[in-house]
Amino acid sequence: MERRSKKSGLPPGSLVHIGERKNGEVKITVIKYDAAGFQEREAKTLDECLPDKEKPEVSWINVEGLHQVEIIQKLGDCFGLHPLVLEDILNTEQRPKIEDYQDYLFIVLKMLYQERGPEIVTEQISLVLGSEFVISIQEGLDGDVFNLIRERIRSGKGRIRTMGADYLAYSLIDAVVDNYFAILEKTGEKIETLEEELVAYPTSKTLHGIHGLKREMVFLRKTVWPLREVINVLGRGESLLVRDTTRLYLRDVYDHTIQVIDTIETSRDMLSGMLDIYLSSISNRMNEIMKFLTIIGTIFIPLTFIVGVYGMNFEFMPELKWRWGYFTVLAIMAAIGLAMVAYFKKKRWL
Amino acid sequence: MERRSKKSGLPPGSLVHIGERKNGEVKITVIKYDAAGFQEREAKTLDECLPDKEKPEVSWINVEGLHQVEIIQKLGDCFGLHPLVLEDILNTEQRPKIEDYQDYLFIVLKMLYQERGPEIVTEQISLVLGSEFVISIQEGLDGDVFNLIRERIRSGKGRIRTMGADYLAYSLIDAVVDNYFAILEKTGEKIETLEEELVAYPTSKTLHGIHGLKREMVFLRKTVWPLREVINVLGRGESLLVRDTTRLYLRDVYDHTIQVIDTIETSRDMLSGMLDIYLSSISNRMNEIMKFLTIIGTIFIPLTFIVGVYGMNFEFMPELKWRWGYFTVLAIMAAIGLAMVAYFKKKRWL
Amino acid sequence: MERRSKKSGLPPGSLVHIGERKNGEVKITVIKYDAAGFQEREAKTLDECLPDKEKPEVSWINVEGLHQVEIIQKLGDCFGLHPLVLEDILNTEQRPKIEDYQDYLFIVLKMLYQERGPEIVTEQISLVLGSEFVISIQEGLDGDVFNLIRERIRSGKGRIRTMGADYLAYSLIDAVVDNYFAILEKTGEKIETLEEELVAYPTSKTLHGIHGLKREMVFLRKTVWPLREVINVLGRGESLLVRDTTRLYLRDVYDHTIQVIDTIETSRDMLSGMLDIYLSSISNRMNEIMKFLTIIGTIFIPLTFIVGVYGMNFEFMPELKWRWGYFTVLAIMAAIGLAMVAYFKKKRWL
Amino acid sequence: MERRSKKSGLPPGSLVHIGERKNGEVKITVIKYDAAGFQEREAKTLDECLPDKEKPEVSWINVEGLHQVEIIQKLGDCFGLHPLVLEDILNTEQRPKIEDYQDYLFIVLKMLYQERGPEIVTEQISLVLGSEFVISIQEGLDGDVFNLIRERIRSGKGRIRTMGADYLAYSLIDAVVDNYFAILEKTGEKIETLEEELVAYPTSKTLHGIHGLKREMVFLRKTVWPLREVINVLGRGESLLVRDTTRLYLRDVYDHTIQVIDTIETSRDMLSGMLDIYLSSISNRMNEIMKFLTIIGTIFIPLTFIVGVYGMNFEFMPELKWRWGYFTVLAIMAAIGLAMVAYFKKKRWL
Amino acid sequence: MERRSKKSGLPPGSLVHIGERKNGEVKITVIKYDAAGFQEREAKTLDECLPDKEKPEVSWINVEGLHQVEIIQKLGDCFGLHPLVLEDILNTEQRPKIEDYQDYLFIVLKMLYQERGPEIVTEQISLVLGSEFVISIQEGLDGDVFNLIRERIRSGKGRIRTMGADYLAYSLIDAVVDNYFAILEKTGEKIETLEEELVAYPTSKTLHGIHGLKREMVFLRKTVWPLREVINVLGRGESLLVRDTTRLYLRDVYDHTIQVIDTIETSRDMLSGMLDIYLSSISNRMNEIMKFLTIIGTIFIPLTFIVGVYGMNFEFMPELKWRWGYFTVLAIMAAIGLAMVAYFKKKRWL
């Protein structure tokens, strides 16, 4: 939340980078391909950026790193992007969305990583889909899910080289959504571990674990839920940039998104159930302890009273003189104790 | 969840079997019928798969077992199915859905079994409905609800032989939905058992039982809810593959689905109510125990104090010398005890 | 739930009676009327069932009892009803619904009775509304709300004889909905009784009462909610069988249904509030008890310690020899006791 | 609820008064006005009721008191009202609604009063809006919010005399909605009082207060929510009886209704929060008491054990003979007590 | 709530100031600008208010302070505003809304401040957007977010001078929404502080803090939620006053509103989770205390009973005479104590 306010008061379209990752170099990769061949190039600047209008090939410009605002500015000039698009690319606190600017579609996605620590890290991925180009802008984390798509383009396997820019955009979105399954499998494992703890011996660590996962689920839900709408809009076919053949594939990735949301909802339900079980098992344990105290106390308090009676120092207490007084009292107390145990057993308190 | 990620990075339409059941042979049954007669054949391969275009008969190809990917591949080639359809058939983690590919409809259903253990087992059933054929693909569990339909075709009783492929598809869906009632009756019995336990003597086993059933209900709901939409779309008559006469029957099975969902919702409400009753009966029991302790303690603590007073060893304690001192004290203590019991009775604590 | 599964595997349209009431004879009443006159006849069989096409009169066929399947079958043949309609008539586990079969409308309602015991009993009422006839099929309970309508037809009072079959159907629905108010008044009285118990002295019986009523409300809601939609569809005027003049009356009964639903929702809210009050008054009582123990214990535990000190048998304890030792100790203990009581008063624990 | 069932079985349109207020005389006021002048008359009967067709003036007939059914009947005859309208006017258990009968609109509102006691009292107000007349029927409570509108007509101030019957109807509705704000201000004050109690010293009276207000809010919500829809329909301009100029005013009163609903929702949220705070402050107090007991008990129980040890009567107990035995034991006990207090302080229990 | 009722009974369009801020002078600023230049003027009265029809420039009239009703009246006369608009401007208890009066749009916004105390203060901002003018009316708080926009107009930087009145209105709305981020960042910091308290040592102050923030969130939600709809309507392009070029910018500020709502929802979820954690950590602490008491009590109660036995004064108690009686009893008691500790350890109560 912190950094958003530094843009307050600036006119719309002001290019300010809002995000955490600021070091390292910005890396630009340009891949051009058609069914016949492909061409790959890495660059530091954007000298010749415009796709070759003559050739019917697809250009994919991938930018990693946002902290050099002038590169994004250049990109915008090259491809005629609206200032608000550039502003949104630089602001990494967007929610997933799609905007139709006639000549191109602007899409914001959220990539999720959980590689180094327990925390889930998000990376904002902005896509600009034109009729013959795709621009993808990442914040620049190491693990890159787009490598597999580059591999597919290089090898020429599958449909990708024979289809247009829209299919490339679909492939990128598909890679992002596929990655969500990996994240969900990891949280699924964590849930299982917590469930085992819950059965064995739940502690307040278990509680914090459940709450942590619940919060994670809220976070995931917030990330994936708008994506569903993005893909729905994309596949609905209102933009001419998306061909009919690609739309079938978008329906497929839409299904996957629904499946991800379903899994998130199920996990939330499970976590709520686990919270209930935690609370009642904690209170069960407490009750067991209290019951123990009650039984010990209830048995011994009357007995202690009795021994107190015969500890009184009255001069005239006939029982004290009796030969078998002591043993009689012991016997009576044993009888009371046993009667109480029997009573508790009958009441199922023992 | 676990296995889904092994498809990450593969291009769409890659045929990978995701599912648990992998052993045994794949079994293919082909039934062709019209009003006049029928013909049944079992096969291991798919040599002559295409329905005979000349004859106005209905072909039903049933495949049990998914683990031989090449059979599904062959099926796809024979009937001209889209690669995404084949991919979805092989991925047993689909939610129920319907997809319209003009020439055919692709439907995913979930069959439920609860025969061997307490757990509900799901089997994915994929249907492909063409103008003159139905392909049904099952994961290959033993109990087969489709046998009754085969029986009906063989005997020629009822409408089935005189109607088209859409009616056959309806019959298969109807069989799946009918089976849900059996599952619900079993869970209904479990709920009744738990209710009796709840009235008699609820233990933490009861609690786990209630939570287990609640989770089962969430699971059932997730399975049946999208089915409602599937049947709705099918019956709405947007596809020419579904005739008007069949649509009435689809409305009927739609009603059944609503009834199933209703029962699930009611069961969930009942289970929530049972949870509340469990919690308050546990806390009632606890309170009863605590009350017992309190009463015993409150009666004896002052009395124990009194006997302690006369157990003091002061040299000058006039009461100790009194003739009736002991009995007076005993009487006073009895009076205090009785007064307390009366007070508790008045306060309704006893 | 139990009996539904006996239809599993049967082809659609199989006539199987699913319901509890099976004894007694089926009773068929046929009333024909127009503005000029009326004619009433009771029958055991259905020999001449078709309404007289020539005469512009309304025929009302009322069937009480479902267990003779052949009568329903005959009825279906006479009036050309679809097999699925007959199947639904025989299955008493339908939810309220309306289905438009062009020539006739098929309506399922639920009648509620609470005459003999605390339980609410439902009776399924199926209506078939044709252009000049109404068929009403009941399960055959004793209390019959339709008698008042028969009375109105016989007496010729009101509009009923001058209006068509649709007005008759409306009157039957209206009678059913009117009856819901009686049920709600009874549950309203029960809620009031429980509220008085709650103020006076709530016990676990009160809790079970509240939960029982809550479940009843869920049940009522489930029964009335779909009826709202049924009447809405009927009054929307899509079927030519319902005339415009009758539609005003349907809007009126629709309002009544909304009122019933409103009352149910309000009762549910009240019951939830009562549950909260129950729980907090129980825990209040518990707290009062615990506080009592605490105060008694906290006052006497230190005093008991003091008397224990002077009950020790040390040879050299100077206080024991003092002339006023005993009384000093008694005074000190009284002071401690009073100080504690004052402290508790200040803290508002007493 | 009680009285509704006395209409069961009666044909629709039967005029039965359902309501509590039955004594006193029915009062009829007729006001006729146009921009030029106005004329006011009070009546007991309805002899010449029809508005003068020739003159372009607005007639406002106000009826106070419902228990003389024949007056309502006469009114219906005069203005050609549908029997169902008359039935609804007489049944004071309607929810707010609007019905379009082409020639006139029928509107039901609920007036709220809270003048005499803590309870909110409702009065049903029925409006019939024709092209040149408004009929308003009240149950006949004393406090009359319509006086201010009469005042405005008499004085000729504002727009009211220059506008039509629809504007008059709007003014009546506006007066009813304005009154809701007064009710809400009173409940707002009650909420503030309860909040102060909650901070100072919450008792079970506070709890009942919160629950009472919550129920009041549910009641208010039920009253105002359908009104929103009524005004919306009125302002949507489907009826020709409502002119475009008046529609702007209806949008304004619609806004007020939304504001009322908003305030109710906010109050409900606040009350829920207060309930949570009540419960946790009660349990906090309980915990404080229990902690006190625990600390007293935990300190004195071991000490009492020690003094018990030296109160034993064994012949051979060396410590008893020691010169400083008594004082040593006292010192040890003091040390134990202080150590415990220190331990509790460290654990933050004190 | 308090002041709203003083308008009860007044005719619609009555100009009554409802609000808290009444002191200080009303300040009127008029800025006229076009791409070529700008002109700024401060005024106390509204002599020449109408925008110059000939010149294609934009006029921005900003009024700070509502308590001089005659100024608002004058404004209304100048620009031909509807009386209801003026009434709404003066009533500071509006919710955000938009109303289309053909010639102009009337928009109500809520500005939020949190500068001086912990409370969030709202200021109502009314905008009237005509084809060539914008009127903005504020309640007149010190901190003015519009200064930055004035700065932009003066400097001529950015697009603002080249665009129309609609863009100015957009800029004002954008400034208001941008300010919400600052408020949310502050509450975000408060949430973090509370979370740290929750981990360290939660007290009832923490609870009140959580409840306070929750209420703040409800308040924020109520403020921002209708704004979303306002901007949506504005950007949907139904009014000709909003040009297509501005609509893109409105979509951007719409996105920001969604982001604000998202953050509010997330904060609410977090606060709910924190409440759960608070409650369970409080009950955990309580349980720890109770466990301590139970263990101390359970160990010492039987031991105290034993020493009581040997404190009895029976004449014939053989053990008392034994040489090692005392030490044997001490040893037995130590053994019992250790056994209990071992038992508790095994049960994991220690």
Side-chain angles (χ1 to χ4, degrees), chain D residues 185 255 259 313 316 319, chain E residues 1 93 97 310 323 326:
Chain D
E185 285 175 17
D255 272 5
Q259 230 173 306
N313 296 320
F316 189 77
E319 297 96 322
Chain E
M1 270 314 302
E93 285 169 356
K97 66 172 177 181
Y310 294 106
R323 182 64 183 89
Y326 174 50

Side-chain angles (χ1 to χ4, degrees), chain E residues 84-85 104 185 264 302:
Chain E
L84 287 173
V85 167
Y104 55 91
E185 286 174 18
I264 292 171

Side-chain angles (χ1 to χ4, degrees), chain C residues 104-123:
Chain C
Y104 55 92
L105 291 168
F106 174 54
I107 300 164
V108 178
L109 304 172
K110 291 284 178 185
M111 187 69 202
L112 299 177
Y113 298 99
Q114 197 179 22
E115 270 141 31
R116 286 162 209 166
E119 291 253 310
I120 293 178
V121 178
T122 65
E123 182 189 25

Side-chain angles (χ1 to χ4, degrees), chain A residues 178-204:
Chain A
D178 261 12
N179 198 258
Y180 292 166
F181 285 103
I183 297 288
L184 284 176
E185 285 174 17
K186 272 180 198 152
T187 54
E189 280 164 26
K190 282 191 215 159
I191 290 176
E192 269 174 41
T193 313
L194 280 174
E195 275 200 308
E196 280 160 24
E197 257 181 75
L198 209 56
V199 170
Y201 193 82
T203 61
S204 70

